[in-house]
Amino acid sequence: MQKSSMFVEQNTRDYENGDAQKKLDDDGRKKRSGTWVTASAHIITAVIGSGVLSLAWAIAQLGWVAGPAVLMVFSFITYFTSTLLADCYRAPDPVHGKRNYTYMDAVRAYLGGRKVQLCGLAQYANLVGITIGYTITASISMVAVKRSNCFHKHGHEAKCGTSNNPFMIIFACIQIILSQIPNFHDLSCLSILAAIMSFAYSSIGLGLSIAKVAGGTEHVKTTSLTGVTVGVDVSGSEKVWRTFQAIGDIAFAYAFSTVLVEIQDTLKSSPPENKSMKRASGIGVMTTTLFYVLCGIMGYAAFGNDAPGNFLTGFGFYEPFWLIDFANVCIAVHLIGAYQVFAQPLFGFVEKMCTGRYPDSKFITGEHAINVPCCGVYHLNFFRLIWRTAYVIVTAVLAMLFPFFNDFLGLIGAGSFWPLTVYFPIEMHIAQSKIPKYSFRWVWLKVLSWVCLIVSLVAAAGSIQGLIHSLSVYKPFQTPEE
């Protein structure tokens, strides 16, 4: 039988029941129930990461003029290309065409050839990188809670170094359990909780920044129209590299195209999926832009050119310690949900590939019904259990071995931002709309694509420089000190 959208096997007996047909879509897959509300929650969970708290640093590198301008430009680019991608969910017609269940399926339907393999490489490498990065970031937030209490008890100058590894193990154990959620369709509640958490810690960061600014000029650091000052804060070369990194950080902070098609595949067919997805994308981008601008601007106003990379885990604030603790717990809970949003498409891809190669294997395709108290019937698949558990363990081990991986994640982001957020959506739109070559619309779409390619290359250069620096100062097994 055909599998559901995220490749969970259906029970054949369901088809013998006439009522069960009402639970299936027109292509025989499990009927979708997602709405623009759940899609918005998925998008906000994917987009508003704890990186929102590092935007003060990005604004500090660019200054009062370029910083907010770059934020607004990339919010527009992301929303525009997401609407193009939403129309590619079905082919050839965006409303009545055949469904494309994954990003790769959409590229295969409109472009074909080697571009399908390039899309898969960019998408899944990025997903693996993000899950490793989230493991690191969540552990840092957990450690920050312990260090915050230590600083409150022993003073701000105390050495409160704590290893991240035990907290990475805790995070991995939670993910092993959540990874058994069969597919994207069952993530709605988790995404809504994660979205609420992101609003909570963003609001706390914003409120603390406003309180510091309102506290008087003696608490506020120097700011400028052009950001950090050459010869005072940084050298000329450092200014250039940091500017590159800041532009890249802002560009990647908006990117959710990696999972857009998979999110759209959870939407019910009425109203049309592309209409609901455009609405969800608009709400998601508008909401994130509001928080990004507020947190970035107020954070820069509070910390000036000395803005830390993350003013909650980097201890831009020490008091009230209980509020800092709560904010960091919110970050950890948000990243627990965000991990699943990015991991589920990868899980589904591998499971679909294995099911297609070994369709008669009971180990891969067989499911066993288990009655879970208070939760109903859970269909256990041994391949899913072993493969997903192994994946979570591997990502946790890599996070422990390479705690500077977030620098490398910037490089992965640079390599995937242009193809996934800009290039493929524009190329598929051109193919779908049959836009004549060298027409005005064709030219400006191509110019947009090339400009974003340059941004990706510049950001990649900045990430490589940051990675080289991290490697040069990295000392294995050293616990972080204030």
Side-chain angles (χ1 to χ4, degrees):
M1 305 305 295
Q2 275 188 303
K3 309 295 185 288
S4 66
S5 297
M6 290 302 292
F7 322 118
V8 180
E9 193 173 35
Q10 301 293 326
N11 190 331
T12 347
R13 288 174 296 181
D14 287 347
Y15 293 89
E16 298 172 3
N17 187 342
D19 294 335
Q21 293 290 345
K22 298 178 182 178
K23 298 181 180 180
L24 302 176
D25 269 329
D26 52 4
D27 58 356
R29 295 182 177 234
K30 183 179 178 181
K31 197 172 188 67
R32 297 160 293 158
S33 58
T35 65
W36 64 268
V37 176
T38 59
S40 297
H42 287 317
I43 292 171
I44 292 171
T45 300
V47 178
I48 299 186
S50 59
V52 66
L53 302 173
S54 68
L55 286 178
W57 179 88
I59 300 292
Q61 312 315 308
L62 299 172
W64 285 117
V65 178
V70 171
L71 276 169
M72 298 307 296
V73 166
F74 280 105
S75 69
F76 170 76
I77 291 174
T78 301
Y79 173 68
F80 173 69
T81 57
S82 68
T83 60
L84 300 184
L85 189 55
D87 283 333
C88 297
Y89 173 66
R90 289 182 179 268
D93 182 79
V95 177
H96 304 293
K98 181 180 177 294
R99 284 167 59 191
N100 295 307
Y101 307 110
T102 65
Y103 200 136
M104 282 183 68
D105 288 342
V107 173
R108 183 179 291 109
Y110 284 103
L111 303 177
R114 291 189 177 274
K115 292 180 180 178
V116 180
Q117 285 73 35
L118 291 175
C119 170
L121 180 63
Q123 181 184 13
Y124 295 115
N126 192 42
L127 293 176
V128 172
I130 288 173
T131 53
I132 296 174
Y134 279 1
T135 302
I136 296 170
T137 308
S139 70
I140 292 173
S141 293
M142 294 177 188
V143 166
V145 174
K146 186 174 181 180
R147 296 182 70 200
S148 173
N149 293 329
C150 174
F151 287 132
H152 177 72
K153 184 177 181 180
H154 301 290
H156 298 171
E157 303 302 321
K159 292 185 176 181
C160 296
T162 303
S163 173
N164 291 359
N165 291 353
F167 297 94
M168 290 186 188
I169 293 172
I170 293 172
F171 183 81
C173 291
I174 295 171
Q175 292 303 334
I176 286 173
I177 296 172
L178 293 179
S179 291
Q180 305 314 312
I181 295 174
N183 54 56
F184 227 132
H185 299 271
D186 300 318
L187 284 181
S188 297
C189 292
L190 186 61
S191 283
I192 291 172
L193 173 63
I196 293 172
M197 293 297 102
S198 67
F199 287 138
Y201 67 72
S202 298
S203 300
I204 291 171
L206 176 60
L208 290 172
S209 297
I210 294 174
K212 184 166 185 175
V213 173
T217 55
E218 68 274 10
H219 300 291
V220 180
K221 302 300 178 92
T222 303
T223 63
S224 70
L225 293 177
T226 56
V228 292
T229 306
V230 175
V232 178
D233 303 303
V234 293
S235 65
S237 60
E238 285 177 328
K239 173 72 173 178
V240 173
W241 289 120
R242 287 188 175 195
T243 299
F244 288 172
Q245 290 175 338
I247 293 173
D249 287 350
I250 292 172
F252 311 143
Y254 280 104
F256 64 95
S257 298
T258 313
V259 291
L260 185 145
V261 176
E262 283 78 1
I263 291 174
Q264 191 166 347
D265 192 46
T266 67
L267 297 173
K268 54 187 179 183
S269 56
S270 181
E273 300 97 342
N274 64 333
K275 182 179 179 180
S276 297
M277 195 64 196
K278 288 176 182 178
R279 184 179 183 183
S281 297
I283 292 172
V285 172
M286 182 174 65
T287 303
T288 54
T289 300
L290 176 63
F291 272 91
Y292 282 4
V293 170
L294 289 175
C295 289
I297 289 177
M298 294 310 303
Y300 182 43
F303 295 102
N305 295 337
D306 296 327
N310 184 317
F311 53 69
L312 287 180
T313 61
F315 291 93
F317 300 104
Y318 288 92
E319 301 292 342
F321 79 99
W322 58 268
L323 189 59
I324 307 296
D325 288 352
F326 178 71
N328 280 304
V329 169
C330 289
I331 293 175
V333 173
H334 169 252
L335 292 177
I336 287 171
Y339 184 104
Q340 287 300 313
V341 169
F342 285 99
Q344 285 289 343
L346 179 63
F347 292 157
F349 171 73
V350 171
E351 287 157 20
K352 178 187 178 183
M353 183 175 64
C354 292
T355 300
R357 183 166 295 184
Y358 306 104
D360 298 324
S361 171
K362 294 297 182 182
F363 172 71
I364 293 176
T365 62
E367 295 195 352
H368 307 272
I370 298 176
N371 190 18
V372 181
C374 303
C375 298
V377 177
Y378 175 77
H379 296 279
L380 175 67
N381 176 277
F382 288 119
F383 173 70
R384 182 171 65 227
L385 174 65
I386 294 173
W387 136 246
R388 296 188 181 191
T389 300
Y391 176 83
V392 172
I393 292 173
V394 169
T395 56
V397 170
L398 289 174
M400 291 183 221
L401 292 175
F402 304 105
F404 52 84
F405 191 84
N406 279 331
D407 294 304
F408 188 60
L409 184 61
L411 182 59
I412 294 176
S416 60
F417 167 74
W418 176 69
L420 296 176
T421 302
V422 181
Y423 175 74
F424 285 124
I426 286 177
E427 292 299 312
M428 288 192 288
H429 174 69
I430 290 173
Q432 183 186 58
S433 302
K434 297 180 173 60
I435 299 174
K437 200 171 185 180
Y438 302 118
S439 65
F440 174 77
R441 191 177 182 187
W442 184 91
V443 169
W444 78 260
L445 284 172
K446 288 289 186 178
V447 168
L448 175 62
S449 180
W450 280 101
V451 168
C452 291
L453 173 60
I454 294 171
V455 170
S456 283
L457 294 175
V458 161
S463 296
I464 291 172
Q465 192 274 342
L467 184 60
I468 292 172
H469 175 73
S470 295
L471 286 169
S472 67
V473 300
Y474 174 58
K475 294 180 181 180
F477 310 113
Q478 183 185 49
T479 56
E481 299 286 356
E482 175 61 13

